[in-house]
Amino acid sequence: MSKKRPLILVTNDDGINAPGIRTLIDVMNTLGDVMVVAPDSPQSGMGHAITINDTLYCNSINVVNGDPHKEYSCSGTPVDCVKIAVNEILKRKPDLCVSGINHGSNSSINVIYSGTMSAAVEAGTLGIPSIGFSLLDYSMEADFGPAKKFVKAIAQQTIKNGLPKGVVLNVNIPKLNASEIKGIKVCRQANAHWEEKFDKRTNPLGRDYYWLTGEFVNEDKGEDTDEWALHNGFVSVVPVQFDLTAHHAMKELNTWDF
Amino acid sequence: MSKKRPLILVTNDDGINAPGIRTLIDVMNTLGDVMVVAPDSPQSGMGHAITINDTLYCNSINVVNGDPHKEYSCSGTPVDCVKIAVNEILKRKPDLCVSGINHGSNSSINVIYSGTMSAAVEAGTLGIPSIGFSLLDYSMEADFGPAKKFVKAIAQQTIKNGLPKGVVLNVNIPKLNASEIKGIKVCRQANAHWEEKFDKRTNPLGRDYYWLTGEFVNEDKGEDTDEWALHNGFVSVVPVQFDLTAHHAMKELNTWDF
């Protein structure tokens, strides 16, 4: 690894034209050889969706302003992008996969809805050290500047140390100025959930329809959670696994009388 | 719970007209008051996708042949169906949510791609005891008959015992005759992954496109896994959690020099 430049796959779920992925590409160009394979349109909230009953298009894009990386735009989901990058576009398995920087939080329970994190998890299932990055600012005008040094530090450490088998990183960055961010904290996922509110309306033809809206409810008072870290000015790093087995529940289930 | 009939929410990802959900409804009608809220079209491979930039329609459907349950057809994903059922359609929180019976396996790593399991997980985040059921037969002509008694037994035990907080069940049923199924085994998720193969084609306008195909690779020789159980004639029950924190990796990450 120390002899050659690492090969880095970059993707996201806000689409290839989102400002967040541009920041991520800039940082990764300082660390290795970069291949971008990202959705051609926004895919927020797609979770771990894959395209199984439709065609996939994947097109090379001209990189402007002389940057050294290569870019492909793909018609599928974030998970599709990782699959097609690894199997059809890249000549070898990448040394790192980074996804984001997402416009908006993927802390706590949001990890299960997140296309950003699903791309990182998918790369993880393929044995690639992977990180999802998110900034706690939904705006397309968000300032990704303060995030840069943390993204770089975490990516460098991941390239250097690797990650335990079956583990990827979920990194969230608070919406603060660089001078206000206190550092990086390794955390557990806070125990929180969404309380939905549906906005019911009637369309011009008289048919009822809904918009999904909701409120994030954090029931977890722990000071070792990602929510606590973010509210207290830290960048949160949660190690995420895709073995979903609740090992602690097996003993109880084995007492059931089926 | 023993005094009144339990309220049971039924959903799936193959769509409200799939044979698998009809079997599930039949069994649940013997156990409680059933409300069906399911996608109006197939949603396989949708993972934990939600509809955040589009409208949602949800329509009451006439139940034929005098069955006692109620049905709604919804334009969204499996997760949307659970959210709208709990927040807009049901008058109280259900005592059980069941999803499926899926046409095809959701064992091992398939849990992360599965709309069936995402619906169950979503209900779990809302504090509802939940189970995803899948039959290892993709055919629309699959025989769901042998599954019935296992579905009933597992649902009954879940209503009776509840589930530990933060845990839902992933149940897979082998494609065997009733007399060949040996029983129910509580298992861990096997360590397996998909090796993708993309089928590259050219459309009539000369543009390249892909179909996603793949091969399931099980690297896990353990006899305590869902894959082992299914290959050896058992129904597999994996307790699944949605706290994805890899607690075992935190110590190592805390040694990193950020």
Side-chain angles (χ1 to χ4, degrees):
Chain A
M1 193 73 71
S2 59
K3 302 260 171 66
K4 64 176 192 316
R5 280 170 70 79
L7 177 61
I8 304 174
L9 172 62
V10 179
T11 190
N12 77 342
D13 80 344
D14 291 315
I16 198 160
N17 295 313
I21 198 172
R22 295 294 130 193
T23 301
L24 196 52
I25 295 167
D26 287 348
V27 175
M28 294 305 135
N29 272 329
T30 70
L31 297 178
D33 295 329
V34 175
M35 174 68 78
V36 180
V37 182
D40 59 10
S41 63
Q43 298 279 323
S44 291
M46 282 304 280
H48 213 94
I50 52 175
T51 302
I52 49 181
N53 281 309
D54 206 352
T55 54
L56 281 172
Y57 287 88
C58 201
N59 301 307
S60 175
I61 286 181
N62 285 330
V63 175
V64 289
N65 69 25
D67 280 346
H69 65 278
K70 290 180 180 159
E71 289 189 26
Y72 284 77
S73 166
C74 177
S75 64
T77 67
V79 171
D80 292 330
C81 288
V82 170
K83 287 181 184 288
I84 209 164
V86 171
N87 290 283
E88 288 288 321
I89 298 172
L90 291 166
K91 293 203 167 45
R92 66 176 181 90
K93 193 191 265 198
D95 302 299
L96 179 70
C97 172
V98 290
S99 177
I101 302 171
N102 192 59
H103 292 245
S105 173
N106 280 317
S107 62
S108 177
I109 194 67
N110 298 302
V111 67
I112 68 171
Y113 305 100
S114 163
T116 303
M117 280 308 299
S118 291
V121 165
E122 180 63 27
T125 70
L126 303 174
I128 302 161
S130 303
I131 317 167
F133 292 103
S134 305
L135 176 69
L136 271 64
D137 188 343
Y138 285 96
S139 168
M140 279 296 136
E141 282 78 47
D143 178 10
F144 287 92
K148 281 189 172 185
K149 75 170 184 178
F150 299 102
V151 169
K152 184 167 181 172
I154 295 166
Q156 278 179 313
Q157 286 290 308
T158 303
I159 291 168
K160 183 180 160 208
N161 301 313
L163 282 172
K165 188 172 158 61
V167 172
V168 302
L169 300 183
N170 182 15
V171 176
N172 282 271
I173 300 155
K175 183 185 173 181
L176 292 171
N177 297 325
S179 64
E180 296 169 315
I181 300 182
K182 291 180 189 154
I184 294 170
K185 255 203 194 313
V186 178
C187 310
R188 67 174 172 85
Q189 174 186 323
N191 177 19
H193 68 280
W194 282 89
E195 282 186 2
E196 260 62 47
K197 292 189 175 59
F198 283 87
D199 183 346
K200 189 174 180 177
R201 302 184 181 190
T202 306
N203 77 8
L205 303 173
R207 203 171 153 208
D208 290 337
Y209 67 96
Y210 299 90
W211 290 103
L212 169 60
T213 68
E215 192 182 332
F216 181 71
V217 181
N218 181 12
E219 312 145 58
D220 195 330
K221 305 287 176 229
E223 299 193 354
D224 55 348
T225 71
D226 51 0
E227 288 302 313
W228 187 93
L230 292 161
H231 279 103
N232 286 276
F234 291 93
V235 173
S236 66
V237 177
V238 176
V240 163
Q241 60 192 352
F242 40 86
D243 174 0
L244 306 189
T245 311
H247 290 277
H248 65 279
M250 295 183 75
K251 191 175 167 191
E252 181 176 333
L253 288 175
N254 272 314
T255 68
W256 284 18
D257 180 27
F258 289 122
Chain B
M1 190 76 70
S2 58
K3 302 260 173 65
K4 64 177 188 327
R5 280 170 71 80
L7 178 60
I8 303 173
L9 172 62
V10 179
T11 190
N12 77 342
D13 79 344
D14 290 316
I16 198 159
N17 295 313
I21 197 170
R22 296 293 130 193
T23 302
L24 196 52
I25 295 167
D26 287 348
V27 175
M28 294 305 135
N29 271 329
T30 70
L31 297 177
D33 295 329
V34 174
M35 175 68 78
V36 179
V37 183
D40 59 11
S41 62
Q43 300 279 323
S44 290
M46 282 305 281
H48 213 95
I50 51 175
T51 302
I52 48 181
N53 281 308
D54 206 351
T55 54
L56 281 172
Y57 287 88
C58 200
N59 302 307
S60 175
I61 287 182
N62 284 331
V63 175
V64 289
N65 68 25
D67 281 347
H69 65 278
K70 291 180 180 161
E71 289 189 28
Y72 285 79
S73 165
C74 177
S75 63
T77 67
V79 171
D80 292 330
C81 287
V82 171
K83 286 181 185 289
I84 208 162
V86 172
N87 289 282
E88 287 288 322
I89 297 172
L90 291 166
K91 294 207 165 47
R92 67 176 180 91
K93 193 190 267 198
D95 302 300
L96 179 70
C97 172
V98 290
S99 177
I101 302 173
N102 192 60
H103 293 246
S105 173
N106 281 316
S107 62
S108 178
I109 195 66
N110 298 303
V111 66
I112 68 170
Y113 305 100
S114 162
T116 303
M117 280 308 299
S118 290
V121 165
E122 180 64 28
T125 71
L126 302 173
I128 302 161
S130 302
I131 316 166
F133 292 103
S134 306
L135 177 68
L136 273 62
D137 188 343
Y138 285 96
S139 167
M140 279 296 136
E141 283 77 48
D143 178 10
F144 287 92
K148 281 188 172 185
K149 76 170 185 177
F150 300 101
V151 169
K152 184 166 181 173
I154 295 167
Q156 278 179 315
Q157 287 292 307
T158 303
I159 291 168
K160 183 181 160 206
N161 301 313
L163 283 171
K165 187 171 156 64
V167 172
V168 302
L169 300 183
N170 182 16
V171 176
N172 282 270
I173 300 154
K175 183 185 172 181
L176 293 170
N177 296 326
S179 63
E180 297 169 313
I181 300 182
K182 292 181 189 154
I184 294 171
K185 254 202 194 315
V186 179
C187 311
R188 66 174 173 86
Q189 173 186 325
N191 176 21
H193 69 280
W194 282 88
E195 281 183 4
E196 259 63 48
K197 291 190 177 58
F198 285 87
D199 183 345
K200 189 174 180 177
R201 302 184 181 190
T202 306
N203 78 9
L205 303 173
R207 203 172 153 207
D208 290 338
Y209 67 97
Y210 299 89
W211 290 103
L212 170 61
T213 69
E215 193 183 331
F216 181 72
V217 181
N218 181 14
E219 312 145 59
D220 196 329
K221 304 286 176 230
E223 299 193 353
D224 55 347
T225 71
D226 50 1
E227 289 302 314
W228 187 92
L230 292 161
H231 279 103
N232 286 276
F234 292 92
V235 173
S236 67
V237 176
V238 176
V240 163
Q241 60 192 351
F242 40 86
D243 174 0
L244 307 188
T245 310
H247 291 277
H248 65 280
M250 296 185 75
K251 191 175 167 192
E252 180 177 333
L253 288 175
N254 272 313
T255 67
W256 285 18
D257 180 28
F258 288 122

